[in-house]
Amino acid sequence: VILTGADLSGKDLTGTILARADLSYSNLTETNLSYSILIRTSLHGANLAGSDLSNSDLTGANLDDANLTDTILTDAILDCNNHDVCN
């Protein structure tokens, strides 16, 4: 699924399966993605400020240059070998 630059701000996408999707440079501000499957999803340069990614699987996701200000990552599965988000 290619959604590069999509405006999904404020949407409730709880439990969505977006594995291998391209959400690069998308606006996901205050979007609810809790319990979602985002395995190997590109979120490069995406704005995730204030979003809820709790309990989501982000294994292998590309979070390079993503805005994670105030993003909720409680119990999310993260690939900490590739990103600074875990620090």
Side-chain angles (χ1 to χ4, degrees):
V1 176
I2 299 174
L3 295 169
T4 305
D7 184 1
L8 300 172
S9 58
K11 303 292 184 200
D12 184 358
L13 301 175
T14 303
T16 302
I17 299 173
L18 290 168
R20 297 182 183 254
D22 185 353
L23 290 164
S24 300
Y25 303 102
S26 292
N27 183 2
L28 299 162
T29 305
E30 297 183 3
T31 298
N32 187 349
L33 286 160
S34 59
Y35 295 95
S36 293
I37 306 296
L38 300 164
I39 297 170
R40 298 187 60 142
T41 296
S42 179
L43 294 162
H44 177 86
N47 187 355
L48 293 156
S51 292
D52 185 353
L53 294 168
S54 59
N55 298 291
S56 291
D57 190 346
L58 293 149
T59 303
N62 181 351
L63 295 166
D64 293 340
D65 298 321
N67 179 358
L68 298 172
T69 304
D70 297 325
T71 298
I72 300 167
L73 294 165
T74 306
D75 294 325
I77 300 169
L78 299 166
D79 182 356
C80 294
N81 294 322
N82 296 323
H83 307 289
D84 293 333
V85 70
C86 300
N87 297 330

